[in-house]
Amino acid sequence: MTMETPRCCKFWLPRKNRFCANAPLNDSLFCGNHNPKSENQRIPCPLDPSHSILEENLEAHIKRCPLLKQTQSLELQPFYKKGINGGIDEEENQNVATLDKSVSESSDITTSEMKRNAVYKMTISEFSELIRKIEAVYKSICSDFRDSFKIPEACGIWMNKEVDRKIPFQEKHVTQQVSILGNLEEFGVLKNASKDVICDQPGEQLDCNVLSADVNWISAVVEFGAGRGYLTQMLADCYGIKKVLLVERKSYKLKADRSLRQKESLILQRLRIDIEDLDLNAVDSLKGVPYLAIGKHLCGPATDLTLRCCLPEQSIQHKAVHSSGICNLRGLAIATCCHHLCQWKQYINKSYFSDLGIRKDDFHAITWFTSWAVDADHGSGLSDIVDQGLCLHSIEKKACGEDVSGVEEIVKNMVAIERAVLGLKCKAIIDMGRLMWVKERRGFAAELVNYVPSDISPENHLLVAKNLYHL
C-alpha cells in the first residue's frame, strides 16, 4: 500500500527555492495566501503591515493577529511609555490637543517620495540657494571629521577568529564592530586590562582577557537596534560586561542570545520594543546600574530616539521628565545610518538647524539628498573631493544655466560623483547637529569620527560620548 503524497500550493518561493508548503484551496492550485483570485481583495494588516489579509476577514483577524497579544503584553510593562522619545513638531504642537490622535500620528512621517516631490517643486533659485547653504554650513562646522579606524588589542580573539565556530563571522561586520569598541577604548570609556592579568594555564587565554566590572566601571551594556546582537557579543567577549540589555522591535533568527546565555556570569535581557516607547529608567534591571549605550547602524531617526532615551529631557507630550533624574549613562557609541529616513519631528536638535536658517522643508530636502551618498565609488579618494567642494560648484553652475527647465532636470543630469558629494555633506551636517546636542548635555564630552574607511562602509560616522562626572 502506497502513501498518497499530500497536495501542496504551487506558488514558487524563490528565496527558499521551493514551492509553498501550505495545502491548496479545494478549487485552486494555490493556498489562501497565494491564490491569485484573492490578490485584489487583500489589504495590509492594520496592526502589522508586514503581512496582508483578506478584506472580508479583517474584523476576525484583528482579534487574533499575533502582534495583538505582544502589544497588549508590552503595554502592561512599566518601561513602556508610548512616544516618550518621539520628540515634537513645534510648528504643529499648538493644535495637537484638538487633533484626533490617529490623524496626528498619520501625518508624522514624511516619506522619501514626498521629500523628492518637494525638492522638484522648488524654483531653480530656491534650489541653488539651498545648495549654497549646504556648502557654507559644511565648510564652517563639518570639515574637521577625523579618521579613526581602530583595532584594539582586546578584540584580538575576534580578529584572529578565535571564537566559537557556531558564531557567524563576516569580516566586514567584525571590522566595524572592532573599530567601534576601539574608539570607545581610545575615548576612555572602555579599558583593556588584559596585560595586567596573569593566566594560570595557557588554555585560559580567553577568560584572562575578560575584565571585571570594577576595572571598567561599567557593569552593563544596552544595545539599541540590536538586531542579532553580535556587537554586544564582542563586547562581552573582549571587555567582560556582565549585564546585557538588547533593545530591538523586530524578531530575528540566529541571534547572539544563544551564545551569550552560555556565559555563566552574564545576565541577558532582550526587550522587543520600539526605542520611541522605551523609558529606560523604568527598567528594573538597570536601576542604579552604570551602563554603556551602543548601536551599530541605527537607521534614520533611531539615533535621535536613542539619544533621547539615554539622555532624557523635559517631554512636552508627557508633561514630565522620565521616571528618574539620575543619569546612569557612562558612555555612548552610535554608528549612524540611513539619514534619508530622518524626520523633523524626531530629530534631536531642531534649534541647530533653525539657527542656521534651515527650515523644516529644507531639512527634509537635506535628508533626501543623503541617499545619494552611496552613488559613487568610495574607494577612489572621494573624501578628498568632498573637502574641495568642486562638485557643488558644478551643481550651482547647472542651476544657473539658461537651458535648464527645472530642478528635476538638474537632479537627473547630475553625475554620480556630484550626487555622492552632496549626499556625504548632508549626512555630516545632520550628524553634527546630534554631536552638538550631546555636547550641550552637562558633564558629557563627545566626538564624531569616521570609524572605518568608506570602502568598508559608506555609513561610517560614529558618535562617541562619555560622562565626565564618573571618570
Side-chain angles (χ1 to χ4, degrees):
M1 181 177 180
T2 58
M3 297 289 294
E4 183 178 351
T5 303
R7 294 175 60 228
C8 294
C9 172
K10 297 302 180 183
F11 186 86
W12 180 256
L13 303 172
R15 290 183 60 184
K16 297 184 178 181
N17 197 32
R18 63 170 175 80
F19 289 103
C20 170
N22 292 332
L25 300 175
N26 293 332
D27 57 347
S28 174
L29 296 175
F30 304 94
C31 67
N33 291 330
H34 300 126
N35 188 10
K37 296 180 181 180
S38 63
E39 282 301 313
N40 295 332
Q41 303 169 357
R42 302 187 73 84
I43 60 173
C45 170
L47 298 178
D48 182 8
S50 65
H51 65 272
S52 62
I53 56 176
L54 290 174
E55 187 173 9
E56 62 188 41
N57 295 336
L58 174 61
E59 185 175 351
H61 175 81
I62 289 178
K63 297 178 181 179
R64 64 175 187 270
C65 179
L67 189 64
L68 179 62
K69 289 185 178 180
Q70 177 191 333
T71 302
Q72 291 174 338
S73 175
L74 184 61
E75 290 175 348
L76 298 176
Q77 301 298 324
F79 52 79
Y80 177 84
K81 302 286 192 308
K82 179 67 174 176
I84 192 170
N85 303 313
I88 60 168
D89 187 341
E90 290 85 352
E91 297 179 8
E92 299 176 359
N93 189 54
Q94 296 178 352
N95 299 323
V96 72
T98 61
L99 290 175
D100 179 79
K101 182 179 179 181
S102 61
V103 174
S104 177
E105 290 181 352
S106 64
S107 62
D108 285 347
I109 304 300
T110 303
T111 65
S112 293
E113 182 179 2
M114 295 164 65
K115 295 175 182 180
R116 180 195 64 203
N117 293 338
V119 170
Y120 287 170
K121 289 180 181 178
M122 288 182 176
T123 64
I124 294 179
S125 61
E126 288 173 340
F127 181 75
S128 181
E129 175 61 26
L130 179 58
I131 296 299
R132 285 193 292 269
K133 193 176 295 184
I134 292 170
E135 175 74 359
V137 170
Y138 181 83
K139 283 184 176 180
S140 63
I141 63 176
C142 298
S143 57
D144 59 347
F145 287 10
R146 68 181 180 91
D147 295 333
S148 184
F149 179 35
K150 302 296 178 182
I151 303 179
E153 181 181 353
C155 295
I157 58 172
W158 273 83
M159 294 304 294
N160 298 328
K161 302 183 181 180
E162 299 172 3
V163 293
D164 188 342
R165 293 184 179 181
K166 295 181 180 179
I167 297 177
F169 187 97
Q170 293 182 314
E171 186 173 354
K172 177 179 178 180
H173 295 295
V174 169
T175 301
Q176 294 175 60
Q177 293 162 1
V178 164
S179 188
I180 290 174
L181 302 187
N183 275 280
L184 280 170
E185 185 176 316
E186 182 189 56
F187 206 57
V189 178
L190 291 175
K191 300 172 186 176
N192 177 18
S194 59
K195 295 180 181 179
D196 301 327
V197 180
I198 300 176
C199 299
D200 294 331
Q201 299 178 11
E204 293 179 348
Q205 182 178 1
L206 177 59
D207 292 333
C208 292
N209 200 36
V210 173
L211 309 183
S212 67
D214 294 335
V215 173
N216 251 338
W217 60 277
I218 294 172
S219 58
V221 58
V222 182
E223 183 176 357
F224 292 88
R228 294 177 174 86
Y230 284 102
L231 175 57
T232 290
Q233 171 81 63
M234 183 181 293
L235 183 56
D237 285 347
C238 304
Y239 291 92
I241 299 296
K242 300 302 181 184
K243 182 174 290 187
V244 170
L245 183 68
L246 303 176
V247 180
E248 174 57 61
R249 65 181 179 181
K250 296 180 181 179
S251 177
Y252 284 88
K253 296 181 179 179
L254 302 176
K255 298 189 292 287
D257 304 35
R258 178 175 50 186
S259 54
L260 284 171
R261 294 187 192 280
Q262 294 177 0
K263 297 179 179 291
E264 295 181 0
S265 60
L266 186 140
I267 301 172
L268 172 64
Q269 182 180 6
R270 182 177 279 268
L271 299 183
R272 190 174 176 185
I273 185 174
D274 196 307
I275 303 171
E276 184 174 2
D277 305 324
L278 175 61
D279 182 358
L280 200 61
N281 289 313
V283 177
D284 289 338
S285 60
L286 276 183
K287 289 182 178 178
V289 176
Y291 70 91
L292 168 66
I294 58 175
K296 176 176 176 283
H297 290 176
L298 280 174
C299 290
T303 293
D304 306 296
L305 302 177
T306 297
L307 292 175
R308 279 199 189 88
C309 187
C310 296
L311 296 165
E313 57 182 353
Q314 184 74 17
S315 170
I316 294 179
Q317 181 178 358
H318 293 277
K319 302 296 182 182
V321 295
H322 290 223
S323 58
S324 172
I326 301 173
C327 183
N328 293 315
L329 178 68
R330 297 297 188 262
L332 176 144
I334 296 177
T336 61
C337 180
C338 299
H339 298 71
H340 63 284
L341 298 176
C342 291
Q343 301 292 320
W344 178 255
K345 175 187 175 183
Q346 296 162 328
Y347 186 69
I348 197 71
N349 199 356
K350 301 183 190 67
S351 60
Y352 155 78
F353 275 107
S354 300
D355 293 343
L356 294 171
I358 297 176
R359 305 165 300 170
K360 176 180 178 179
D361 292 342
D362 292 338
F363 171 83
H364 285 149
I366 288 172
T367 62
W368 185 63
F369 294 151
T370 63
S371 63
W372 299 343
V374 296
D375 279 4
D377 178 9
H378 285 263
S380 58
L382 184 59
S383 58
D384 296 333
I385 301 175
V386 172
D387 292 335
Q388 293 174 10
L390 298 177
C391 294
L392 291 186
H393 175 73
S394 172
I395 295 171
E396 288 186 326
K397 188 175 181 180
K398 290 179 181 179
C400 297
E402 296 181 358
D403 56 340
V404 175
S405 61
V407 172
E408 183 174 359
E409 183 178 348
I410 295 173
V411 170
K412 291 182 177 179
N413 289 335
M414 291 168 62
V415 297
I417 193 70
E418 293 174 337
R419 293 164 63 93
V421 166
L422 181 58
L424 288 170
K425 292 193 174 187
C426 291
K427 283 160 61 72
I429 291 172
I430 292 171
D431 284 340
M432 181 56 70
R434 291 161 166 168
L435 172 67
M436 291 182 171
W437 186 88
V438 175
K439 284 185 172 181
E440 291 169 359
R441 303 308 100 186
R442 184 181 177 187
F444 277 85
E447 188 176 4
L448 192 62
V449 299
N450 298 319
Y451 75 104
V452 289
S454 58
D455 58 346
I456 292 180
S457 174
E459 301 282 13
N460 64 346
H461 288 174
L462 179 70
L463 175 61
V464 289
K466 61 183 175 182
N467 191 332
L468 298 174
Y469 288 160
H470 296 277
L471 288 177

